[in-house]
Amino acid sequence: MGACVSTSSRSTCSRSDEEPIPHSCLEVGFCGQKRTKRTFSDHVVALQHLTSIPNRVFSNGKSRTSCIFTQQGRKGINQDAMIVWEDFLSEDVTFCGVFDGHGPQGHLVARKVRDNLPIKLLSFLHSFQQTQDGSGKACFKRNSKKSDGGYSEKDDSPEDKLHALWKEAFLKSYKAMDKELRSHPNVDCFCSGSTAVTIVKQGSNLFMGNIGDSRAILGSKDSNDSIVAVQLTVDLKPDLPREAERIKRCKGRVFALQDEPEVQRVWLPFDDAPGLAMARAFGDFCLKDYGVISIPEISHRLLTERDQFIVLASDGVWDVLSNEEVVEIVSSAPTRSSAARILVDSAAHEWKLKYPTSKMDDCAVVCLFLDGKMDSESDCDEQCLSSATLQSNHSGNAIESDDGQKSEPCLRRNFTVRSSEENDTYVRVAVEVDDSRETTAAEDQSWSGLEGVTRVNSLVQLPRFSEERPNS
């Protein structure tokens, strides 16, 4: 367990002795294929066999349409996780995600979210299909209809129904994921958590859900056929006015430290802890009553032939590279299968040049190429192996067991939390928020974190759990 004590309730999970569930059981039939009715417990059992599922890549490697790479920083164990899952529902559906953990058990939280969140999406969509047609003949792609009146087949276009369905799937899956973490028997999430930036590409539709400060961008051709960067998600940090307003309404505090005035943090109302550098996250239950939420920001984009690739990355990349620089690096990579690794290498180089006295953060990158093409096998670097059969040494991750435990010894100190000596000198710098201000989507883009570099720890210190409270 971590260095903090959770006050949340615990529940025990029983292990099933059933036979392994084959991969075909995870294929949810939404377009005319009759499937045997399954319960959510089937998906839980299937979690034990995720590593054997074809077309699911979760550590340094490549797939038919993507490459992914992660590298440990200098703060301790690698707390980043990533995934590409092709043929997620059918051949034209791909799920991608990057997860950046923080706190004493952030690496375990990130991995749990990586493994469980896609399964929860599958479970919701399967349940939805079962309610539409008991025989499993309802078409998910073009004839989705919600049964509780949220949207109707009569009033909305097929695209609107599809968007509404994925929106509900993201909302319910994120909620279920956070609920599971709260009562997990092996991972203490009271002072640990994770970001999530997730996308689902279904044909030309792109659906996105994100919490925290990991980011997704799009590389697209402009009228001159030059590759330009389009930011797809907003970094959800406490310096966003709407995020700060919500936190303050819930009695949480938002202020920066004197030695890092550009980084706004979230603090408990009765203690100068934990100093979380994001406004939304999985876990972090010590702050869930004070404005930090796990509700994702959801968006939809219709892809065109000019759109070339999508990059998902943790803030270890965005702290030192701009959107435009990332797009340039990926588009100029000698081979597509090496693009993610070259991007991480470029970020590591920039860390040394720009911040030689700072500890480099973990970096994780997913590059998804939208034309569905990759290099020939002969062009693939030695590192680009299927992650279903290889755990790369570059990732810095421990080999995981089914219950979330790692085989290597626990670190004595996790460097995503400041030491007590580092905290002795800080002074609060309050953030001013105009309560009457109405924040628009365009205004939010200017608060994306491109100007305020967050080359710092996600948490400052753990709560003291004192019974004392300041007098009101």
Side-chain angles (χ1 to χ4, degrees):
M1 305 303 286
C4 51
V5 180
S6 174
T7 59
S8 59
S9 60
R10 297 295 187 196
S11 64
T12 57
C13 295
S14 60
R15 289 289 175 188
S16 173
D17 296 327
E18 298 176 10
E19 292 296 317
I21 293 180
H23 171 53
S24 59
C25 292
L26 288 176
E27 297 174 352
V28 184
F30 286 99
C31 295
Q33 300 181 14
K34 187 173 181 178
R35 300 289 187 191
T36 303
K37 196 167 185 178
R38 305 179 67 230
T39 65
F40 180 73
S41 61
D42 295 323
H43 292 293
V44 175
V45 177
L47 283 172
Q48 302 178 34
H49 313 286
L50 284 177
T51 56
S52 63
I53 296 176
N55 305 317
R56 178 184 177 273
V57 184
F58 61 92
S59 67
N60 298 351
K62 72 167 188 174
S63 66
R64 296 194 309 265
T65 62
S66 69
C67 61
I68 68 177
F69 196 86
T70 184
Q71 179 174 306
Q72 178 179 326
R74 299 177 63 88
K75 297 182 179 181
I77 191 170
N78 190 348
Q79 295 194 305
D80 286 0
M82 57 195 178
I83 184 174
V84 172
W85 190 339
E86 295 173 343
D87 303 337
F88 184 59
L89 292 171
S90 59
E91 290 184 357
D92 67 336
V93 182
T94 300
F95 175 90
C96 302
V98 165
F99 315 95
D100 183 358
H102 53 264
Q105 298 205 345
H107 55 297
L108 297 180
V109 179
R111 295 175 199 170
K112 281 296 175 186
V113 176
R114 175 199 67 193
D115 291 344
N116 293 26
L117 185 60
I119 294 296
K120 294 185 184 303
L121 278 169
L122 287 175
S123 179
F124 169 81
L125 294 168
H126 180 76
S127 299
F128 172 82
Q129 182 260 342
Q130 291 293 331
T131 62
Q132 295 303 294
D133 190 333
S135 65
K137 295 182 179 180
C139 184
F140 170 73
K141 288 185 179 179
R142 294 297 178 191
N143 193 31
S144 300
K145 180 179 70 173
K146 191 174 180 182
S147 59
D148 61 4
Y151 53 93
S152 65
E153 185 176 12
K154 181 188 300 183
D155 299 332
D156 296 331
S157 66
E159 289 75 17
D160 290 337
K161 297 176 211 170
L162 189 63
H163 183 199
L165 177 60
W166 276 110
K167 180 177 181 180
E168 185 178 7
F170 272 110
L171 289 172
K172 290 193 173 181
S173 299
Y174 271 62
K175 181 178 180 179
M177 184 72 250
D178 209 42
K179 182 178 180 181
E180 178 180 323
L181 289 172
R182 182 182 288 272
S183 59
H184 198 284
N186 298 322
V187 182
D188 190 337
C189 302
F190 193 65
C191 300
S192 299
S194 177
T195 71
V197 56
T198 54
I199 66 169
V200 172
K201 178 184 176 294
Q202 182 176 16
S204 60
N205 288 286
L206 183 66
F207 304 96
M208 297 156 280
N210 75 290
I211 56 177
D213 56 4
S214 298
R215 187 188 306 168
I217 66 169
L218 173 70
S220 185
K221 288 185 177 180
D222 61 11
S223 57
N224 298 321
D225 283 340
S226 299
I227 300 291
V228 296
V230 179
Q231 187 163 323
L232 298 175
T233 61
V234 175
D235 301 349
L236 297 170
K237 301 180 182 181
D239 59 0
L240 271 172
R242 58 187 170 91
E243 300 295 305
E245 290 169 4
R246 182 191 66 247
I247 293 167
K248 290 185 174 183
R249 285 197 305 268
C250 296
K251 308 303 181 184
R253 296 181 297 159
V254 176
F255 60 83
L257 303 182
Q258 187 178 42
D259 59 347
E260 47 178 35
E262 75 280 4
V263 182
Q264 298 296 326
R265 296 179 177 275
V266 185
W267 309 84
L268 291 167
F270 50 82
D271 191 6
D272 287 341
L276 183 65
M278 62 199 71
R280 305 190 193 192
F282 284 118
D284 294 309
F285 293 111
C286 66
L287 290 170
K288 283 295 167 67
D289 290 334
Y290 304 108
V292 172
I293 60 177
S294 60
I295 300 173
E297 188 168 83
I298 301 167
S299 55
H300 169 250
R301 183 183 180 93
L302 194 62
L303 298 171
T304 69
E305 293 182 354
R306 290 192 169 275
D307 300 327
Q308 303 299 302
F309 55 84
I310 296 170
V311 178
L312 283 65
S314 59
D315 65 343
V317 172
W318 307 117
D319 282 351
V320 292
L321 294 172
S322 68
N323 292 348
E324 292 73 21
E325 288 172 327
V326 168
V327 165
E328 174 62 25
I329 292 168
V330 172
S331 62
S332 61
T335 61
R336 287 187 169 185
S337 59
S338 66
R341 176 179 57 82
I342 290 175
L343 180 54
V344 171
D345 289 344
S346 299
H349 180 69
E350 289 300 310
W351 272 94
K352 293 178 182 178
L353 287 181
K354 294 181 178 179
Y355 313 114
T357 61
S358 298
K359 291 185 176 72
M360 174 184 165
D361 199 1
D362 305 325
C363 296
V365 169
V366 170
C367 296
L368 176 67
F369 295 94
L370 299 176
D371 60 6
K373 298 177 183 178
M374 286 292 283
D375 312 308
S376 63
E377 290 297 325
S378 60
D379 292 332
C380 185
D381 295 341
E382 291 184 0
Q383 288 113 334
C384 295
L385 301 174
S386 172
S387 62
T389 59
L390 173 68
Q391 285 281 8
S392 172
N393 292 331
H394 290 275
S395 68
N397 287 341
I399 305 301
E400 301 161 56
S401 61
D402 292 335
D403 62 357
Q405 299 298 312
K406 56 186 185 301
S407 58
E408 69 179 29
C410 296
L411 296 178
R412 293 185 178 181
R413 178 176 174 227
N414 189 291
F415 289 94
T416 57
V417 182
R418 284 191 171 193
S419 65
S420 58
E421 291 81 2
E422 292 176 301
N423 289 309
D424 289 340
T425 60
Y426 75 74
V427 178
R428 295 193 297 266
V429 179
V431 57
E432 297 296 332
V433 178
D434 184 359
D435 294 336
S436 62
R437 175 176 176 179
E438 295 182 1
T439 306
T440 63
E443 289 171 335
D444 285 346
Q445 291 294 335
S446 65
W447 291 83
S448 63
L450 292 178
E451 297 178 358
V453 177
T454 57
R455 54 188 183 279
V456 292
N457 301 318
S458 296
L459 294 178
V460 173
Q461 67 176 4
L462 303 179
R464 293 188 292 267
F465 301 104
S466 171
E467 295 298 330
E468 298 178 0
R469 296 292 185 271
N471 295 327
S472 56

